[in-house]
Amino acid sequence: MSMAPTGTQPSLHASDLAKSPNPIARHYARFRVAERMLLSGHSHQAWPDVGFEGQMEAWTDAAEYVDEKWSRAEAKAERVRRGYAKLLGDREGSIGLAPNTHDLLVKLISALPLQKRPKLVTTDGEFHTIRRQLDRLAEEPWIEIVRVSAQPAGSIAERLVAAADERTAAVLASTILYKNAYVVPNLRAVAERCRAVGAELVLDAYHQINVIPFSLEADGFADAFVTGGGYKYCELGEGNAYLRVPPGRDHLRPIVTGWFSEFAKLTKQVKPGVGYGEGGAKWASATYDPTSHYRGARVLDFFEEQGLTPELLRESYAHQVALLAERFDAQDLDPKRVTRDRSVPLTAIGGFLALESPHSEELKRGLQQRNVQIDIRGTTMRFGPAPYLSDAQIAGAIDALAEAVRAL
């Protein structure tokens, strides 16, 4: 599933992205990234203007080809699959697509041998997609949900290894925690444990792809399921979730299945019983809005044309997070009002900086009044930079925070 670049890659360096004006900000004119400080990058990044062109192309194809548009839509979906496969370093698995990760997670859980292996192992630091669904499953007396602590992040893998046994159907864990961007180390040991006891490993890489380079082979995850999506650091927008399925899983038959799984066989004679499509089609749902794949295909091309590789983005995010932390520390603000966890080195943090404040809601409003957009999760304030922001904008956001704190 390799893919050639769509054009000549410019000689772009991470240091270029720190400049004012940021050299790629002009490609995000519709989101007005040069006019405001959008530090919502860990959640909803701005979309490059080519995404709008993709949306218009989807409309135009529907108007021109009507119900014959689906072959064109499938070509866009295949472009998205190839894009994710490249970002994951996947050469042997298949990529299933869906509007969101929950759709794919439910299908995967429905395919697990839960009658024979009624145990699912996870952490208490997972995003709500996993957290809520497992909360509901835990209400069923025949399913056992084991949650290990996500604190400290550095030893999560050890706790997952200890919890997984021959009764475990799957271990579900994030590679980077969604609440504070802490990198979860040594997940290779979890993969080895899953292999030893016959359990599946399901990794949530939503906060890693396009932040820290990911390699299924180098990281020891060749036989792992991996899920994520394009709403955050990939800038593909909504509707572009994926599930990477490792080779050798042909025996899995999801109970939750949509008719698009047999889309390619509708005009053919099929054997009695419920059949499934090949590769990623096994995990398909039903009729969906293909606009997301038109947009996603254009944005993936844009990233390659601009030379926004995972390696360059890692360097950029590491610089931006360090700048946020250094600027925050220099303000010397009252730690009772706002502080950060300094026990975790900046090198072990992904794409945003988490600050803690009992006044998070009030400070968020104060930042909005000062043209800065972030989000909060309880007392946690997440400052998420992005490659289209300059150093001056990032520093300005922390200066605005200091003003808001002193105005409390």
Side-chain angles (χ1 to χ4, degrees):
M1 301 182 78
S2 62
M3 177 177 50
T6 57
T8 302
Q9 294 185 1
S11 181
L12 188 66
H13 301 280
S15 58
D16 297 327
L17 302 179
K19 299 176 181 177
S20 297
N22 183 304
I24 66 168
R26 60 188 177 88
H27 296 293
Y28 297 79
R30 290 182 176 273
F31 267 78
R32 298 186 290 112
V33 301
E35 302 170 24
R36 49 185 178 167
M37 291 171 276
L38 293 179
L39 273 88
S40 57
H42 55 281
S43 179
H44 192 315
Q45 288 216 5
W47 306 338
D49 296 336
V50 294
F52 185 74
E53 298 170 8
Q55 301 232 168
M56 291 192 294
E57 184 184 3
W59 178 279
T60 302
D61 277 2
E64 178 66 23
Y65 301 102
V66 198
D67 208 30
E68 300 298 319
K69 72 184 180 187
W70 289 106
S71 60
R72 293 173 175 268
E74 172 54 27
K76 302 299 182 182
E78 180 58 22
R79 174 66 181 94
V80 174
R81 291 188 197 98
R82 293 199 313 269
Y84 281 135
K86 184 175 183 179
L87 290 171
L88 294 170
D90 186 22
R91 295 183 294 179
E92 298 181 340
S94 58
I95 304 291
L97 300 177
N100 53 71
T101 56
H102 180 256
D103 184 310
L104 295 161
L105 178 69
V106 167
K107 290 190 181 73
L108 177 55
I109 291 175
S110 79
L112 297 175
L114 292 174
Q115 289 184 328
K116 296 179 179 179
R117 290 173 166 263
K119 181 177 177 181
L120 297 173
V121 176
T122 188
T123 82
D124 61 7
E126 300 307 309
F127 186 69
H128 309 302
T129 297
I130 291 176
R131 189 270 310 164
R132 176 179 168 83
Q133 190 58 67
L134 296 191
D135 280 352
R136 176 61 185 88
L137 288 174
E139 295 177 356
E140 300 300 314
W142 59 279
I143 294 184
E144 179 185 2
I145 306 297
V146 176
R147 292 182 179 83
V148 306
S149 176
Q151 295 181 341
S155 54
I156 286 177
E158 296 175 14
R159 294 186 286 278
L160 290 172
V161 167
D165 57 24
E166 286 75 8
R167 297 178 64 252
T168 304
V171 175
L172 303 93
S174 295
T175 63
I176 294 179
L177 300 178
Y178 86 96
K179 188 175 181 181
N180 50 30
Y182 293 170
V183 176
V184 180
N186 201 29
L187 284 172
R188 179 189 291 267
V190 183
E192 293 171 353
R193 177 61 175 170
C194 287
R195 205 171 296 125
V197 300
E200 300 289 1
L201 176 60
V202 184
L203 297 174
D204 181 348
Y206 219 135
H207 276 279
Q208 178 166 349
I209 300 303
N210 266 351
V211 175
I212 296 177
F214 189 103
S215 171
L216 289 161
E217 183 175 350
D219 297 337
F221 302 142
D223 55 355
F225 288 84
V226 184
T227 191
Y231 191 57
K232 308 179 190 298
Y233 309 95
C234 291
E235 301 179 6
L236 309 187
E238 302 90 343
N240 283 298
Y242 67 87
L243 176 69
R244 183 267 176 174
V245 181
R249 300 308 190 274
D250 294 342
H251 62 284
L252 293 180
R253 300 176 73 246
I255 295 173
V256 178
T257 182
W259 70 275
F260 260 48
S261 185
E262 58 186 28
F263 192 93
K265 302 178 181 179
L266 290 179
T267 60
K268 302 177 182 179
Q269 291 288 336
V270 296
K271 297 179 181 179
V274 178
Y276 296 85
E278 298 178 357
K282 173 178 280 191
W283 310 91
S285 295
T287 308
Y288 70 101
D289 181 359
T291 303
S292 57
H293 294 157
Y294 277 81
R295 183 178 61 241
R298 286 290 189 103
V299 175
L300 285 165
D301 287 346
F302 168 79
F303 265 58
E304 290 211 345
E305 290 162 1
Q306 296 299 314
L308 294 170
T309 64
E311 292 75 19
L312 181 144
L313 291 170
R314 173 52 178 163
E315 188 178 349
S316 176
Y317 280 114
H319 166 76
Q320 291 177 323
V321 169
L323 178 60
L324 285 166
E326 292 165 5
R327 192 80 172 189
F328 175 78
D329 291 348
Q331 296 291 343
D332 195 26
L333 300 172
D334 183 353
K336 294 181 180 180
R337 294 189 170 187
V338 62
T339 188
R340 73 178 183 89
D341 181 3
R342 294 175 176 82
S343 66
V344 177
L346 295 176
T347 54
I349 294 178
F352 65 89
L353 183 71
L355 302 178
E356 291 292 325
S357 173
H359 310 284
S360 58
E361 293 187 8
E362 189 174 354
L363 290 176
K364 179 183 178 182
R365 289 193 296 270
L367 286 168
Q368 287 175 328
Q369 295 168 1
R370 294 166 174 82
N371 201 31
V372 179
Q373 185 170 325
I374 65 165
D375 88 336
I376 58 175
R377 302 282 172 159
T379 60
T380 302
M381 306 171 62
R382 303 192 299 181
F383 284 71
Y388 44 75
L389 293 177
S390 68
D391 278 10
Q393 288 175 295
I394 292 171
I398 295 298
D399 293 346
L401 171 66
E403 293 178 6
V405 170
R406 293 177 178 125
L408 286 174

